[in-house]
Amino acid sequence: MSAEFEIVSPLPGAAFGATVRLAKSIAEELPNGLPKTLADAGGLLLIPGLNQIAAEPELLLRLSRLFGPEIEDYRYLLTSQHLVHESVPEIFLVTNMVANYRPPPLRPEPPLTADGKFPVQYPQRKGWHTDQSYRRPPPDISLFFAVNPVARERGQTLFASGTLAYDALPAALKAKVENLQGLHAQPGTGRGRSDAEAGKTPRPFSPHERSQPQPVARTHPVTGKKALYLCERSQMDWFDGPFVGLQPGPYGDGARLLDELMSHYTRPEFIYVHEWTQGDVLVWDNRCLVHTATWYDADKEQRMMWRTTVRGNPGAIYAGEEKSWVPRKEPVTA
Ligand SMILES: [Fe+2]
């Protein structure tokens, strides 16, 4: 127990993460020790009881600023302005409570594992990603606040620890990923696995939309630990990737390796399943975790979650790089 908060680690049912109970309201005092606690806990913090943010959204921004110098402003470079908070443009709305919302993920097929358990492992559970990995430099941390979550057992967020998964890799796989780069694609650019499986020809993309290489074994800039850094179906490039230098496409050597790595990454012992309660804030480190969401009934239930994205400390390998996603005046190329 510090003066600022009480820490219970790990998170229930998981081998990583921590629950943090703040001693004071964040309007009164910002808990400056949180970034260290996040790193010590393997990149995932649950801070319950922050209901105050719903009435004072600016507080989520103040909390986010503890974790890094730059908070993404969603007024820029996003076409879906209806998904941006009306008074705090650093808040992105993950919701079905607006027109043209992004539909929730599908349920796994089959819905349960062979032994009747809740499926977490890829490929039965899909959608595993780390936020904005198609950008260089990629972001550091995301904060997610539950304004109006849906009932339990739906609309959950699942996390897998890339640090635990990397440490447990068999030696041969560890050697294989040591200098390997994944090619990450921006969803919507037509480079996803289902596009490739359907035999589509990807559209030309503007330079700022290009798929970006990222290390598969990524060294965390704060802890120095290596973590698996990888996504799957819609956030890898299945035309030129998923890996640089391996046979490309959805049926090649690269695809086989990705399936093997993602299945390992999401083994149940590396997972935390979060059931949301109104007022929860989750803080996660995109440099060492992947996450995915689960289904809810968007026709019958209403869900409103607020997200901020923090960047500024991606690690030495990105030093001096310009932001890959900012459009410059270049011609469109194929
Ligand atoms: Fe995400």
Side-chain angles (χ1 to χ4, degrees):
M1 170 106 192
S2 75
E4 295 179 309
F5 46 80
E6 181 191 1
I7 306 165
V8 179
S9 186
L11 282 159
F16 65 103
T19 307
V20 167
R21 293 187 190 278
L22 302 182
K24 290 185 180 167
S25 146
I26 53 171
E28 220 179 307
E29 185 179 278
L30 281 171
N32 292 304
L34 284 182
K36 182 179 182 312
T37 307
L38 177 72
D40 291 347
L44 186 60
L45 294 183
L46 165 62
I47 316 173
L50 298 187
N51 306 62
Q52 193 180 7
I53 291 173
E56 296 175 70
E58 180 75 21
L59 289 175
L60 184 60
L61 193 54
R62 285 169 59 190
L63 187 64
S64 302
R65 287 200 181 106
L66 283 178
F67 294 94
E70 189 182 340
I71 314 300
E72 176 149 12
D73 185 330
Y74 289 106
R75 277 174 301 188
Y76 305 108
L77 308 171
L78 248 187
T79 48
S80 310
Q81 288 302 299
H82 66 297
L83 297 176
V84 179
H85 190 280
E86 57 182 11
S87 65
V88 182
E90 291 87 351
I91 293 178
F92 183 71
L93 311 180
V94 179
T95 185
N96 65 335
M97 295 168 70
V98 295
N100 302 317
Y101 60 86
R102 293 181 189 171
L106 298 173
R107 280 182 276 197
E109 183 50 48
L112 295 175
T113 60
D115 52 2
K117 293 194 172 138
F118 177 76
V120 296
Q121 193 169 12
Y122 175 87
Q124 189 175 1
R125 175 71 62 191
K126 293 185 172 64
W128 290 102
H129 68 282
T130 168
D131 287 339
Q132 298 179 352
S133 62
Y134 43 84
R135 292 178 171 187
R136 277 186 71 108
D140 303 345
I141 286 159
S142 299
L143 286 85
F144 214 59
F145 170 64
V147 185
N148 190 51
V150 294
R152 293 175 74 82
E153 298 182 0
R154 303 192 286 282
Q156 300 128 316
T157 310
L158 278 48
F159 294 87
S161 165
T163 316
L164 296 177
Y166 175 81
D167 288 347
L169 276 177
L173 266 184
K174 213 177 243 184
K176 226 180 230 182
V177 301
E178 199 48 47
N179 294 305
L180 191 62
Q181 302 219 76
L183 196 58
H184 294 246
Q186 183 169 346
T189 55
R191 320 287 299 191
R193 190 164 189 165
S194 53
D195 300 308
E197 285 170 348
K200 292 183 184 168
T201 303
R203 67 170 172 83
F205 43 23
S206 302
H208 70 277
E209 296 176 315
R210 279 186 191 130
S211 300
Q212 297 294 325
Q214 306 280 8
V216 176
R218 185 175 173 196
T219 302
H220 194 283
V222 177
T223 65
K225 290 180 184 168
K226 281 192 177 162
L228 278 179
Y229 190 74
L230 202 60
C231 303
E232 32 106 339
R233 294 188 67 86
S234 64
Q235 214 168 299
M236 302 301 287
D237 187 320
W238 293 87
F239 289 83
D240 296 330
F243 296 108
V244 177
L246 293 187
Q247 187 183 25
Y251 309 110
D253 292 343
R256 275 187 286 279
L257 179 61
L258 185 125
D259 286 344
E260 187 179 5
L261 287 171
M262 280 312 300
S263 171
H264 168 87
Y265 199 151
T266 56
R267 273 165 41 185
E269 61 266 39
F270 309 140
I271 302 287
Y272 169 66
V273 177
H274 189 62
E275 297 279 5
W276 289 95
T277 299
Q278 201 166 47
D280 283 352
V281 166
L282 272 187
V283 184
W284 69 81
D285 193 326
N286 286 295
R287 297 166 293 192
C288 58
L289 302 176
V290 286
H291 60 276
T292 188
T294 69
W295 175 89
Y296 67 96
D297 189 344
D299 294 331
K300 294 187 180 145
E301 299 173 282
Q302 295 199 313
R303 185 176 193 251
M304 175 61 77
M305 314 292 277
W306 292 351
R307 189 186 81 184
T308 61
T309 309
V310 181
R311 57 181 70 249
N313 188 16
I317 61 162
Y318 301 97
E321 277 190 28
E322 289 191 48
K323 291 173 174 172
S324 67
W325 64 95
V326 177
R328 292 179 187 82
K329 288 200 166 58
E330 294 177 55
V332 172
T333 54

